[in-house]
Amino acid sequence: MLERTFVTVPEHVAIIMDGNGRWAKQRGLPRTMGHRKGVDAVRETVRAAGDIGVKYLTLFAFSSENWRRPETEVSDLLGLLKAFIRRDLAELHRQNVRVKIIGDRHSLQNDILDLLIDAEETTKANTALTLIIAFNYGSRDEIARAMASLAHDVEQGRLRSQDITPALITARLDTSGIPDPDLIIRTSGEERLSNFLLWQAAYSEFIFIPDYWPDFSRETFHAALETFASRNRRFGGLVAEAAAAVGT
């Protein structure tokens, strides 16, 4: 099957993968089955993004607030992450996919941390799609850590407070070196960011999809990209036609 082509392909797509539990409840299944089905959607989406030509794909896998969930569910989520990396890392590497992890690493158990670091190290030279996994991630925490880093440099005399700029803050975030997302997709019908990429989303386009994440398909992704292509991104300026009219 030939892959569809799009006039405008976003360089960076970020996805809030929401609705696994509700998908399972709707079918009378345990929540863990929803999470397992969600992993299949992850695989399909990674392949679709690479085929279309997306350069960066960020997936919100586990938030810093998710630790509040029942212990059994947290354990299952962590087990799925481990299984995904162990099972899929070789295939991602063969596909020239680079894996990057964002989020707070300091409180992670060694077995999880070692797997995440191994995924990054194994794929660091790959040049196709960059798959960014947001794990133990919260945007406010990320920004606070960036501010603490800058404050430390000011205390040490390496930086003047008046020299702190948005660009300097961006460089201290977990996503340093990665372009801001052009498009943020959230599934399940919820319409909020939930502490995800707050700084980076300043000029992102948003698409909210009613489908639960386990039902997210290549066709759903294509439809979102078509909607994105129809948007007029002005970044605070004017469209070309309006700018020309103002000048006349």
Side-chain angles (χ1 to χ4, degrees):
M1 181 182 68
L2 293 175
E3 186 59 55
R4 292 180 59 182
T5 58
F6 295 86
V7 174
T8 303
V9 176
E11 182 180 25
H12 183 178
V13 177
I15 304 179
I16 301 173
M17 307 178 293
D18 194 19
N20 290 345
R22 279 166 285 172
W23 180 91
K25 182 179 180 180
Q26 201 175 66
R27 290 159 175 77
L29 300 171
R31 289 176 61 86
T32 54
M33 293 303 298
H35 295 312
R36 293 177 190 280
K37 182 67 175 175
V39 173
D40 293 335
V42 167
R43 294 188 180 103
E44 177 70 5
T45 302
V46 171
R47 286 192 291 266
D51 292 341
I52 292 164
V54 173
K55 296 300 294 181
Y56 299 89
L57 176 66
T58 299
L59 301 178
F60 201 3
F62 191 89
S63 79
S64 51
E65 289 79 26
N66 284 158
W67 297 107
R68 303 171 188 168
R69 294 189 177 188
E71 185 176 346
T72 53
E73 184 171 350
V74 170
S75 178
D76 190 66
L77 286 168
L78 296 181
L80 285 173
L81 175 69
K82 294 177 187 178
F84 174 77
I85 293 177
R86 287 169 178 153
R87 173 178 171 181
D88 292 68
L89 182 59
E91 179 61 25
L92 292 172
H93 192 33
R94 282 193 294 271
Q95 295 174 3
N96 199 25
V97 172
R98 178 169 72 107
V99 176
K100 179 173 175 56
I101 311 298
I102 61 173
D104 184 12
R105 304 185 182 198
H106 293 95
S107 60
L108 296 180
Q109 296 178 355
N110 288 337
D111 59 339
I112 290 283
L113 184 58
D114 290 346
L115 273 176
L116 300 180
I117 292 173
D118 180 59
E120 288 187 320
E121 287 298 311
T122 299
T123 63
K124 65 182 180 182
N126 292 344
T127 57
L129 172 72
T130 295
L131 173 61
I132 302 144
I133 300 175
F135 181 79
N136 196 27
Y137 175 86
S139 189
R140 288 181 173 179
D141 171 72
E142 174 192 31
I143 293 169
R145 286 187 281 110
M147 295 301 100
S149 173
L150 291 169
H152 180 72
D153 281 358
V154 171
E155 289 175 350
Q156 296 299 311
R158 294 192 292 265
L159 178 68
R160 299 187 306 166
S161 60
Q162 59 265 38
D163 292 333
I164 297 176
T165 63
L168 194 55
I169 294 171
T170 296
R172 299 295 177 100
L173 297 174
D174 295 350
T175 53
S176 176
I178 297 170
D180 291 341
D182 303 288
L183 170 62
I184 296 178
I185 299 169
R186 180 168 186 155
T187 57
S188 87
E190 304 291 353
E191 298 184 2
R192 56 180 178 271
L193 275 176
S194 296
N195 201 18
F196 182 57
L197 299 179
L198 301 179
W199 178 276
Q200 299 87 337
Y203 284 102
S204 301
E205 296 294 321
F206 296 90
I207 294 177
F208 301 105
I209 295 172
D211 301 353
Y212 295 136
W213 174 247
D215 289 328
F216 192 87
S217 65
R218 184 176 291 255
E219 290 71 28
T220 312
F221 196 24
H222 287 175
L225 294 185
E226 286 181 348
T227 300
F228 171 81
S230 71
R231 301 279 179 87
N232 180 16
R233 305 185 73 202
R234 297 186 296 278
F235 298 97
L238 298 173
V239 297
E241 294 81 358
V246 169
T248 58

